[in-house]
Every structure is written in C-alpha cells, then in structure tokens.
Amino acid sequence: MGVVDEEKSEGEEKVWNLCRIPFWQTSSSNGFSSSSSSSMGNHNVYQPQTQSSQLGERSTVTSTNALFSMAKSLFPTQRRLKLDPPNKLYFPYEPGKQVRSAIDIKNTSKSHVAFKFQTTAPKSCYMRPPEGILAPGESLIATVFKFVEPPENNEKPIERKSRVKFKIMSLKVKGEKDYAPELFDEQKDQVSVEQILLVVFLDPERACPALEKLRRQLAEAEAALESRKKPQEDTGPRIVGEGLVIDEWKERRERYLAKQQVEGVGPT
C-alpha cells in the first residue's frame, strides 16, 4: 500500500470515529446547551423545567384574565336605561347666556337602577337632577344647563362646535333605597356607561323638530318639578289652630258627651 493510500485510510478512520460520537456529547447549533448523562446534570436540568412550568401556569392565568377582560369589553353593554334623545343634547344657541337642554331617562330593566351624570365642563354645566334611582318602568326628564361662550375668530354662531361632552352611567341596585354617592364607588365593577352625549346647538329663531321637541320636554320637566314641590295632601284630620280639631270632629264629640249625660240621668 502506498503512502497516499495510508494517509487516505487514516483520514477515513478519523471521519468515521467522529461520526460515532454520541449525540448527547455534541453541541447543537441552535444555542441550547448540551445535556449530560450524570445524575447531577439531570437534576440541574430538571429544576429549571419546574420553575419554567410554574411561570408558565402564572402566565396562562394572566393571559386568561386579559382575554376575559378584552372579551367583556368587546361584547355590547346591556342597556338598563332608554334615553331620548339617545346620544345628543340639543341646546338653543344664545351666546353669553345660560341655556337649557332636556333628556328623558327611562328604566327599561326589571330591577331598580341608579343613574349618574358626568360632564367634561363641570364649571359651566350642571344637571337637575344629577343622579337618582329609578324603579322598573319609571322615567323622568332631566334638565341640563350650559353657559354658551361667545363666538371667536368671526365664527358663524350656528357652525360653532362644542367640545363639551356628557356621560350617563348606570348601576343596578337591590330593592328600593335612597340614592347615595357611595353606590358608584363601592360597586365600580358593576357600573355601566350608558351613553356619551354630544352637544348640538340649534338656531332658536329657526323652527325644527328637534327644537320643538326640546321645548316640549322642558315644559314637562318644569311641570314635574312644580308637582314635586307641592306639599302632599294629608288624609288625616286637619288641625285648626293649636290643639283644636275640625268642626265635624268637634260636633261628634259634643253629641257623644250629650248622649252620655242623658244616659246618666235617666230613670232608675
């Protein structure tokens, strides 16, 4: 055998021996460290896997909660209140004056519902009433007051837009109870945003269905307010002066005393 053949045989044997190296003794090209056949090596590998599984479980729970919150936000909110107008507040445009709008709020659910108004301009706007509780099927007309700023930069009055927004929130309550501001703070997770209301100005000199409806709602709101101010009629006996009853009761008492006297002096 020649020198060339001997060198070729030695090279082939080296290549063959290299190919016979077990897979667990080689280093992979994807960046993972090689494993070891010793018990200590197996223990070192097992521990990170346990920690990884625990982190994975916590990550799964977090992801599930995030998905639940996202899914909840995507589902349409169940409305408890019916609003009229449904998404706008119409105001007559009278610069430099305080103007009024109105909105009809009706409880369409089967339980008592608390509602609450909020606005982005609390210094120039307020509501009457700003909150309350409605029984199932009950409704009321809320009046909204707003100060109209004069136009700037030669803007046309009726084209002037307002950035003020109003928000109506609702909360389901158990049974009849008086409204308390703490209701919405104590049950924040149960509060629903019913609607974001945008401000729309109307020309008070130009008749339109929206303006006519607004005036009608304002008249109904004023009538309801006056009826609430009137004292309730008392069905019991009326007091005339201090310690005296009405004449009818006085006559009854006198007839009763006279009868007692007659029976007392009758024949023995």
Side-chain angles (χ1 to χ4, degrees):
M1 182 180 296
V3 176
V4 176
D5 293 337
E6 291 180 357
E7 291 179 354
K8 182 177 180 181
S9 299
E10 291 178 359
E12 291 176 352
E13 184 176 359
K14 289 181 181 180
V15 172
W16 172 248
N17 291 334
L18 181 61
C19 293
R20 292 178 60 189
I21 297 177
F23 176 76
W24 54 267
Q25 289 184 2
T26 60
S27 298
S28 60
S29 60
N30 57 6
F32 289 97
S33 57
S34 61
S35 60
S36 173
S37 61
S38 63
S39 59
M40 181 62 70
N42 290 336
H43 176 73
N44 292 336
V45 173
Y46 176 76
Q47 186 66 23
Q49 290 177 351
T50 303
Q51 294 177 356
S52 177
S53 62
Q54 292 176 353
L55 292 174
E57 291 176 359
R58 288 196 292 267
S59 177
T60 302
V61 173
T62 304
S63 300
T64 303
N65 293 336
L67 289 174
F68 177 77
S69 300
M70 183 176 66
K72 183 178 179 181
S73 63
L74 292 177
F75 282 111
T77 304
Q78 184 178 2
R79 303 297 181 187
R80 305 183 180 110
L81 304 175
K82 181 181 179 180
L83 308 178
D84 185 22
N87 53 15
K88 296 178 182 178
L89 283 176
Y90 294 97
F91 291 89
Y93 187 77
E94 299 179 13
K97 296 182 180 180
Q98 186 182 71
V99 295
R100 296 180 301 163
S101 183
I103 182 169
D104 192 340
I105 306 173
K106 182 177 182 180
N107 180 7
T108 57
S109 70
K110 297 181 180 180
S111 62
H112 285 70
V113 172
F115 70 91
K116 181 179 180 181
F117 266 103
Q118 284 187 343
T119 178
T120 57
K123 293 183 179 180
S124 61
C125 304
Y126 69 95
M127 290 70 66
R128 187 180 67 189
E131 67 275 318
I133 295 180
L134 296 175
E138 185 180 5
S139 63
L140 63 81
I141 298 180
T143 306
V144 185
F145 299 82
K146 178 179 178 6
F147 179 78
V148 181
E149 297 287 345
E152 298 178 358
N153 300 327
N154 297 323
E155 293 178 344
K156 293 183 180 180
I158 208 61
E159 294 181 357
R160 184 177 183 272
K161 297 181 180 180
S162 175
R163 297 181 180 178
V164 178
K165 295 181 181 180
F166 296 85
K167 179 169 65 175
I168 298 182
M169 299 179 295
S170 68
L171 174 66
K172 179 181 177 181
V173 296
K174 296 182 179 179
E176 297 182 6
K177 61 172 62 177
D178 295 331
Y179 179 85
E182 295 80 13
L183 287 174
F184 284 85
D185 295 332
E186 294 172 354
Q187 305 180 48
K188 291 182 179 180
D189 56 336
Q190 301 297 326
V191 175
S192 297
V193 176
E194 290 288 336
Q195 190 59 265
I196 303 295
L197 304 171
L198 303 179
V199 172
V200 177
F201 289 112
L202 301 174
D203 187 351
E205 304 298 330
R206 183 178 180 181
C208 66
L211 184 61
E212 294 177 0
K213 182 177 180 179
L214 172 60
R215 289 171 176 170
R216 185 173 64 253
Q217 287 182 319
L218 289 173
E220 294 177 4
E222 287 296 328
L225 179 62
E226 291 298 326
S227 64
R228 289 194 297 267
K229 288 181 178 180
K230 292 181 179 180
Q232 297 181 354
E233 295 183 0
D234 190 0
T235 58
R238 292 175 297 170
I239 303 301
V240 183
E242 184 178 356
L244 300 178
V245 295
I246 59 176
D247 294 340
E248 183 181 357
W249 280 45
K250 186 177 181 180
E251 292 175 0
R252 289 182 181 179
R253 182 174 181 274
E254 290 176 352
R255 288 197 299 266
Y256 174 77
L257 293 177
K259 184 179 179 180
Q260 293 293 325
Q261 291 178 0
V262 172
E263 292 177 353
V265 298
T268 57

